[in-house]
Amino acid sequence: MQEVDEQDLYVERVAALDLGKAGLEACVRVPHEDRPGRRLQEVRAYATTTAALLELADWLRCQSVSRVVMESTL
């Protein structure tokens, strides 16, 4: 195992995706603008069509998300 500094594990702007066959749920967590140390969270649902996935990508870019994690379900 490799030792890591916990500071390196903190991601300021992150998204989590739960992927299904016909749709997905996306959750974005970002720092709160007015309350230091607090975070804002928003969850949105998207279809798995090309247009919807492009809309998701645009939302992630607008939120300046730097890391995305995902879980796939059947």
Side-chain angles (χ1 to χ4, degrees):
M1 292 237 165
Q2 179 183 15
E3 186 176 323
V4 294
D5 182 10
E6 285 192 29
Q7 294 282 349
D8 295 339
L9 299 178
Y10 180 77
V11 178
E12 189 173 74
R13 296 176 165 273
V14 64
L17 307 179
D18 185 5
L19 304 171
K21 191 172 190 176
L24 66 91
E25 296 282 325
C27 175
V28 168
R29 294 192 72 187
V30 298
H32 196 293
E33 293 176 10
D34 301 327
R35 298 175 66 189
R38 304 289 295 179
R39 297 175 65 72
L40 295 173
Q41 174 177 302
E42 183 176 353
V43 178
R44 293 185 181 183
Y46 290 90
T48 54
T49 63
T50 301
L53 295 176
L54 290 171
E55 183 181 334
L56 167 63
D58 186 51
W59 180 51
L60 297 178
R61 264 188 242 100
C62 288
Q63 295 298 318
S64 301
V65 168
S66 61
R67 177 139 330 144
V68 177
V69 297
M70 68 179 197
E71 176 185 16
S72 179
T73 56
L74 297 175

